[in-house]
Amino acid sequence: MDTTGYTPDEPIAAIATALAPGALGIVRCSGKGSIELLSNVFSRPEALRKAGGNSLVYGWLQESAGCAPQKEQRTESPRRIDEVMVGVYRSPKSFTGEDMVEISCHGGVAVVNAVYHLLLANGFRPAERGEFTFRAYINGKTDLTRAEAVREIIDSKTDMSRSRAAGRLAGSVYEAIDGIKKRIVDTLASIEVEIEYPEDEETISDTFNPQELALAARDLEDLAGSWKSEKIYQDGARVVLCGRTNAGKSSLFNALLKEDRAIVSDIEGTTRDWIESWVDFNGIPARLFDTAGLRETDDVIEQRGVERTRDLTQDADLILYLIDASAGVTDDDRAFFQEQAQMQKAGGKPDVPLFLVWNKADKLADASQLSFPEAAACATGTIMLSAKKGTGIDALCDAVSTALQRGAATTRTQAGLGSERQKTAVEEALSCVRHALALTKDFTLDAAVQDLEDALDALGAVTGDVTPEDVLDSVFSHFCVGK
């Protein structure tokens, strides 16, 4: 979205629902004169023009319905497009802060497209990506943290990621930033008092309190640290299932997805290429990969599948290595863990959690006798389960979610930062505040003023109070049309 050529007052229209068969479709309009423009193609133009904000008007969309002179000269009735309900929202009490209408028509590709093109032919222009949210931002109806949260909610893949994005949409980050800015502004004010009235020592005694700056630094540290834990809920993780043939990888894949996605067979080499799907590990979204079994084979196609499995393990955020507990440890299993241990020792492999999963444990009379000491050198933990019967799946999910959040713990009870952009700005503000604190110990107070003003500018960039044009382009260009 190129905001440099943006004209806010132009009436815009966009399809806001998926173009697919359904009960309802929604086409949104916003901008100066949008209600009057729509009345020209509405069967009850006066009812629409006089409608109050936050109201619904029933009628038909039809060609040239509001053009009175032409209509009086015509003998035929206007061609009707669809029977609709029109939601009317008056400025400034609307999502964008402008006059808005939302047309609820019958669902389906043909009818929704017909409504949309009728609007374009009668004065509306197509909305750009994220333009509705952008207008809400420039009209003071939202800030950048809330705007980014809108996109996060749309892209969320689990209830937990949606819930955390909803916290940002409700203003949790904005409120935290606002509180920190108040501490810094109060500190600046006290410094200004001491600079302007140095002779009035009794009146201004102890006006400057470094504790306020220390608290601001603490809060900024907390915010900056929250991004690591939030990122996993937004981006998700890559979790790879690997192991020998017939270890039960496809069965576990299906069990975690709660559907029969992968073909399960007793024939070795059934899975010859990887398949993937999104899965929920206690609220953490993950792309789960079911891979070809690791073994020596003369089958050229299966060999290619084994190579792809090894490639996937190199890029994984977490590996689940399955062993058939009823068959025991094989040379292929030992070779895999020896290879992992050697790579870790040589520093050629990042510290990726690797779990040894004993599958089909229900077939053993005494599972405690299972032993694989060679795996201890590089395995993060050991899990026993039966993918077929579903036992041990909860323990697996707990172990995976805990490992994926390792090093990302935060003391925040509310949702943290929602983007890399926010994190960068907060870290810049933190650096400025820390520098200001150091200056107040060894220099006169006026030396810290510039740092504190820079910190306020950085925090303003988080919420959008002070934001370069290229940042706005980056934020809103990733939205879908209609948001």
Side-chain angles (χ1 to χ4, degrees), residues 123-135:
F124 292 91
R125 72 160 171 82
E128 297 183 49
R129 286 178 175 271
E131 189 165 356
F132 288 89
T133 308
F134 184 81
R135 290 188 176 202

Side-chain angles (χ1 to χ4, degrees), residues 70-128:
Q70 292 85 345
K71 185 178 179 183
E72 290 172 0
Q73 295 170 9
R74 291 173 58 177
T75 57
E76 72 277 10
S77 299
R79 187 170 73 90
R80 289 184 169 183
I81 303 299
D82 192 26
E83 186 179 25
V84 299
M85 292 292 293
V86 178
V88 179
Y89 306 92
R90 299 281 182 178
S91 172
K93 296 182 178 180
S94 69
F95 174 70
T96 61
E98 307 169 325
D99 285 349
M100 284 187 69
V101 287
E102 290 193 348
I103 303 165
S104 297
C105 58
H106 291 94
V109 176
V111 64
V112 174
N113 268 325
V115 169
Y116 176 59
H117 289 294
L118 177 68
L119 298 177
L120 299 187
N122 285 272
F124 292 91
R125 72 160 171 82
E128 297 183 49

Side-chain angles (χ1 to χ4, degrees), residues 345-426:
K345 187 175 181 181
K349 186 176 178 62
D351 186 17
V352 174
L354 168 59
F355 285 92
L356 170 60
V357 181
W358 295 101
N359 189 28
K360 307 180 186 179
D362 57 302
K363 293 184 177 182
L364 300 180
D366 186 5
S368 63
Q369 296 180 356
L370 291 172
S371 176
F372 189 7
E374 296 95 327
C378 55
T380 305
T382 301
I383 301 166
M384 307 199 56
L385 56 79
S386 170
K388 185 175 181 179
K389 292 189 174 181
T391 57
I393 300 296
D394 289 344
L396 173 69
C397 291
D398 290 342
V400 169
S401 62
T402 299
L404 290 175
Q405 293 179 90
R406 184 179 58 186
T410 177
T411 57
R412 285 186 60 81
T413 56
Q414 294 182 315
L417 299 179
S419 69
E420 187 77 36
R421 181 194 69 82
Q422 295 174 19
K423 171 180 173 286
T424 300
V426 167

Side-chain angles (χ1 to χ4, degrees), residues 204-266:
I204 65 171
S205 177
D206 297 326
T207 299
F208 171 70
N209 181 7
Q211 186 62 25
E212 283 296 301
L213 271 189
L215 290 173
R218 181 205 64 187
D219 292 342
L220 286 169
E221 287 175 2
D222 183 38
L223 261 183
S226 70
W227 167 237
K228 190 172 183 180
S229 63
E230 295 293 338
K231 190 174 187 296
I232 190 70
Y233 288 98
Q234 289 186 29
D235 298 346
R238 291 168 60 94
V239 177
V240 175
L241 296 172
C242 62
R244 263 189 55 80
T245 55
N246 275 10
K249 298 183 295 298
S250 295
S251 295
L252 180 57
F253 184 83
N254 290 340
L256 290 169
L257 263 63
K258 298 181 175 63
E259 62 177 272
D260 291 332
R261 249 315 274 291
I263 298 174
V264 177
S265 168
D266 292 332

Side-chain angles (χ1 to χ4, degrees), residues 122-371:
N122 285 272
F124 292 91
R125 72 160 171 82
E128 297 183 49
R129 286 178 175 271
E131 189 165 356
F132 288 89
T133 308
F134 184 81
R135 290 188 176 202
Y137 162 68
I138 64 173
N139 289 325
K141 303 296 289 186
T142 189
D143 69 283
L144 281 191
T145 64
R146 290 184 175 97
E148 288 175 307
V150 171
R151 192 186 70 207
E152 291 173 40
I153 287 179
I154 294 170
D155 294 339
S156 60
K157 297 175 179 65
T158 67
D159 283 342
M160 181 61 74
S161 56
R162 174 202 52 76
S163 175
R164 297 175 89 93
R168 283 183 283 278
L169 182 60
S172 62
V173 173
Y174 180 86
E175 290 169 2
I177 294 293
D178 198 48
I180 295 170
K181 286 170 66 176
K182 186 178 184 306
R183 290 187 189 279
I184 296 174
V185 168
D186 289 346
T187 301
L188 270 173
S190 66
I191 290 176
E192 293 292 344
V193 167
E194 295 208 15
I195 293 174
E196 293 296 329
Y197 305 101
E199 70 283 352
D200 197 357
E201 295 183 3
E202 292 184 4
T203 304
I204 65 171
S205 177
D206 297 326
T207 299
F208 171 70
N209 181 7
Q211 186 62 25
E212 283 296 301
L213 271 189
L215 290 173
R218 181 205 64 187
D219 292 342
L220 286 169
E221 287 175 2
D222 183 38
L223 261 183
S226 70
W227 167 237
K228 190 172 183 180
S229 63
E230 295 293 338
K231 190 174 187 296
I232 190 70
Y233 288 98
Q234 289 186 29
D235 298 346
R238 291 168 60 94
V239 177
V240 175
L241 296 172
C242 62
R244 263 189 55 80
T245 55
N246 275 10
K249 298 183 295 298
S250 295
S251 295
L252 180 57
F253 184 83
N254 290 340
L256 290 169
L257 263 63
K258 298 181 175 63
E259 62 177 272
D260 291 332
R261 249 315 274 291
I263 298 174
V264 177
S265 168
D266 292 332
I267 301 173
E268 291 191 344
T270 298
T271 303
R272 297 195 170 200
D273 198 358
W274 56 265
I275 61 173
E276 66 168 293
S277 185
W278 284 99
V279 68
D280 181 343
F281 285 107
N282 292 348
I284 297 176
R287 290 170 62 193
L288 183 66
F289 294 84
D290 179 23
T291 63
L294 295 171
R295 67 166 180 167
E296 295 295 330
T297 176
D298 295 328
D299 189 306
V300 176
I301 297 176
E302 190 177 351
Q303 284 178 358
R304 182 58 181 146
V306 172
E307 291 174 6
R308 289 186 175 185
T309 298
R310 296 188 185 281
D311 291 341
L312 283 171
T313 60
Q314 300 303 310
D315 297 327
D317 295 310
L318 186 143
I319 300 170
L320 297 174
Y321 189 90
L322 272 70
I323 296 179
D324 181 348
S326 62
V329 180
T330 67
D331 290 339
D332 290 317
D333 299 325
R334 294 187 182 91
F336 176 83
F337 278 93
Q338 286 172 1
E339 179 184 350
Q340 298 297 307
Q342 289 171 359
M343 291 178 65
Q344 289 183 5
K345 187 175 181 181
K349 186 176 178 62
D351 186 17
V352 174
L354 168 59
F355 285 92
L356 170 60
V357 181
W358 295 101
N359 189 28
K360 307 180 186 179
D362 57 302
K363 293 184 177 182
L364 300 180
D366 186 5
S368 63
Q369 296 180 356
L370 291 172
S371 176

